[in-house]
């Protein structure tokens, strides 16, 4: 097989292969077609010299809102992905069974970047979330649509990878865990994992964890008080550790109100790293405090995670959560997606959802993207 594209001489960090070192990676027919040193280039092969730049599997942002034009939260997936090095945006419940066909036809199928989705169990997804209107879609149990959700999930298994539900005072009012109970039934019926949003009580952080199954994802896992995963003394709560031992996955889901430096410092000090790092980027946080995926990764890097751990949490670990191991890897035969990164040194200002500022000594930036085996960004 002749390679169509080779990234030559990169520092490849691919946690799926426990690899961190100089190598080439090649692409053909939309897949990774070669990995190693001095890969041969044919007459028609495009070769890009990386000169030691960092190349990783294509970044996966496990929590985004990219139903642009369909919900008030939606951002443009392609623009976001080009700027932040993300090759796969996972939309988390912007659409429910009542409006998913429009999301698929007008956004997912038209976008160049990959978009996968958690289908919301609420009929219209997250429909009432803006700067002036805040209506929690899980507050009204009449909107829960389990039958329709099962039918839509079954009909769109190529792009729907799980079920989404939002619980908490903002999302579900006084309904407690009732929306979660319905969403879990949909997840069981379809055999799909579930992602649960948690905000302020009710229900409690612990009550939600107790209901989740191995492979399910708790997003906003490093949120501030109330419903923080750490005690007032800064210890990781026992229920949190027990949930991880059962196989529950913990996702950052930064967003507008769901990530605090104080919580993250305590979790990392307790040896509890997130399974996945995601931005929860949407129209109300893309200009801060979340900004994008590489900024969220940079925050975790400056808080103490290693570069390899940060990359794993945005590639192979996310692939595990998706249950699609062809994502998040540069093994031969994997999807032909890669991200070129740089780690800048200096003094960089970061802010969390509570307004706390932190000066970090490093910033991860996106320098280029390979999508479906072709150089996608920046356009030259």
């Amino acid at each position: 097989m002749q390679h169509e594209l080779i990234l030559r001489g990169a520092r490849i960090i691919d946690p799926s292969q426990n690899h961190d070192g100089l190598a080439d990676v090649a692409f053909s027919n939309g897949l990774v077609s070669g990995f190693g040193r001095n890969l041969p280039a044919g007459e028609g092969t495009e070769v890009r010299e990386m000169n030691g730049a960092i190349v990783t599997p294509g970044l996966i942002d496990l929590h985004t809102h990219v139903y642009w034009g369909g919900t008030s939260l939606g951002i443009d997936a392609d623009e976001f992905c080009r700027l932040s090095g993300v090759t796969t945006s996972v939309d988390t419940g912007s659409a429910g069974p009542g409006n998913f066909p429009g999301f698929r036809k007008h956004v997912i199928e038209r976008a160049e970047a990959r978009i996968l989705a958690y289908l919301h169990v609420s009929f219209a997804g997250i429909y009432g979330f803006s700067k002036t209107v805040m209506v929690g879609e899980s507050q009204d149990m009449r909107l829960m649509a389990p039958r329709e959700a099962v039918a839509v999930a079954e009909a769109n298994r190529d792009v729907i990878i799980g079920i989404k539900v939002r619980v908490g005072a903002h999302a579900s009012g006084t309904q407690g865990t009732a929306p979660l109970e319905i969403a879990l039934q949909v997840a069981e019926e379809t055999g799909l994992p579930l992602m649960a949003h948690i905000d302020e009580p009710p229900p409690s952080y612990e009550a939600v964890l107790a209901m989740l199954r191995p492979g399910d994802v708790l997003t906003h896992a490093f949120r501030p008080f109330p419903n923080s995963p750490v005690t007032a003394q800064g210890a990781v709560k026992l229920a949190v550790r027990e949930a991880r031992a059962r196989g529950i996955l913990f996702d950052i889901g930064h967003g507008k109100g769901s990530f605090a430096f104080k919580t993250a410092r305590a979790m990392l000090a307790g040896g509890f790293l997130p399974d996945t790092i995601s931005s929860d980027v949407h129209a109300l946080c893309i200009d801060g405090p979340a900004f994008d995926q590489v900024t969220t990764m940079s925050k975790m890097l400056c808080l103490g995670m290693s570069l390899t751990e940060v990359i794993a949490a945005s590639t192979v670990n996310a692939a595990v959560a998706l249950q699609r191991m062809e994502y998040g890897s540069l093994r031969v035969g994997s999807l032909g997606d890669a991200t070129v990164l740089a780690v800048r040194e200096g003094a960089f200002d970061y802010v969390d959802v509570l307004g706390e500022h932190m000066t970090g000594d490093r910033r991860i930036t996106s320098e280029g993207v390979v999508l479906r085996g072709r150089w996608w960004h920046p356009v030259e």
Side-chain angles (χ1 to χ4, degrees):
M1 177 187 296
Q2 177 173 303
H3 306 305
E4 296 172 359
L5 170 66
I6 296 176
L7 303 185
R8 179 85 75 196
R11 176 191 173 188
I12 295 181
I13 302 178
D14 182 2
S16 77
Q17 302 184 80
N18 295 315
H19 186 280
D20 182 354
L22 291 178
D24 304 341
V25 59
F27 306 88
S28 186
N29 296 322
L31 303 175
V32 177
S33 56
F35 188 97
R37 301 295 290 270
N38 301 315
L39 296 180
E43 184 176 339
T45 303
E46 177 185 4
V47 178
R48 288 185 173 265
E49 298 293 341
M50 292 291 102
N51 298 317
I54 298 170
V55 171
T56 73
L59 297 183
I60 302 167
D61 193 337
L62 193 68
H63 191 148
T64 69
H65 293 280
V66 293
Y67 191 0
W68 184 91
T71 73
S72 56
L73 286 180
I75 64 164
D76 184 272
D78 283 346
E79 180 180 1
F80 167 70
C81 290
R82 285 183 184 275
L83 295 175
S84 61
V86 170
T87 59
T88 301
S89 296
V90 183
D91 186 278
T92 54
S94 296
N99 56 350
F100 185 83
F103 182 33
R104 173 160 195 153
K105 179 177 180 179
H106 299 300
V107 177
I108 295 175
E109 293 181 357
R110 295 187 181 188
E112 291 185 68
R114 299 180 190 276
I115 300 175
L116 301 175
Y118 284 93
L119 180 71
H120 207 308
V121 70
S122 175
F123 188 74
I126 304 173
Y127 64 87
F129 200 101
S130 74
K131 292 181 179 179
T132 57
V133 176
M134 292 285 178
V135 178
E137 73 285 348
S138 299
Q139 292 183 18
D140 189 340
M141 296 300 290
R142 294 175 301 175
L143 294 175
M144 297 294 105
R147 294 181 182 86
E148 294 88 345
V150 169
V152 171
E154 294 289 2
N156 295 274
R157 281 190 172 267
D158 55 330
V159 294
I160 291 178
I161 51 80
I163 305 300
K164 175 71 183 293
V165 67
R166 298 201 314 143
V167 292
H170 300 309
S172 58
T174 59
Q175 298 297 338
T177 60
L180 176 56
E181 293 168 4
I182 294 173
L184 281 166
Q185 289 192 37
V186 175
E188 287 283 353
E189 184 71 14
T190 57
L192 292 170
L194 178 138
M195 175 183 278
H197 155 118
I198 179 73
D199 56 68
E200 298 187 4
S204 70
Y205 198 108
E206 293 88 339
V208 173
L209 285 180
M211 295 175 66
L212 298 183
R213 311 159 304 159
D216 289 343
V217 177
L218 180 72
T219 193
H220 311 318
F222 282 30
R223 58 165 286 105
F225 176 87
N227 264 350
S228 170
V230 295
T231 67
Q233 293 73 35
V236 180
K237 291 180 178 178
L238 179 60
V240 174
R241 295 192 182 278
E242 290 176 344
R244 169 161 283 176
R246 297 200 326 269
I248 310 305
L249 304 177
F250 290 79
D251 175 58
I252 290 293
H254 190 305
K256 182 184 178 186
S258 303
F259 175 79
F261 290 142
K262 179 181 178 181
T263 304
R265 291 188 191 101
M267 295 289 272
L268 297 183
F272 199 101
L273 277 60
D275 292 290
T276 51
I277 295 173
S278 67
S279 67
D280 183 19
V281 67
H282 55 70
L284 303 185
C285 69
I286 194 169
D287 295 321
F291 296 102
D292 58 26
Q293 178 71 356
V294 286
T295 300
T296 308
M297 293 166 65
S298 298
K299 291 176 180 180
M300 299 308 298
L301 180 69
C302 293
L303 285 165
M305 289 179 68
S306 72
L307 182 59
T308 298
E309 289 168 340
V310 166
I311 291 170
S314 304
T315 56
V316 64
N317 292 5
V320 170
L322 297 173
Q323 299 181 3
R324 295 194 177 192
M325 297 313 298
E326 69 273 23
Y327 288 70
S329 177
L330 292 174
R331 288 190 179 95
V332 173
S334 298
L335 294 181
D337 296 354
T339 302
V340 182
L341 300 174
V343 180
R344 312 293 183 187
E345 296 185 354
F348 304 98
D349 180 62
Y350 298 105
V351 63
D352 70 1
V353 303
L354 299 178
E356 179 186 340
H357 286 262
M358 173 185 71
T359 299
D361 60 355
R362 288 166 293 174
R363 181 184 292 278
I364 300 170
T365 61
S366 170
E367 304 297 315
V369 171
V370 174
L371 182 67
R372 295 183 175 88
R374 298 190 177 188
W375 185 257
W376 189 53
H377 170 72
V379 177
E380 296 177 359

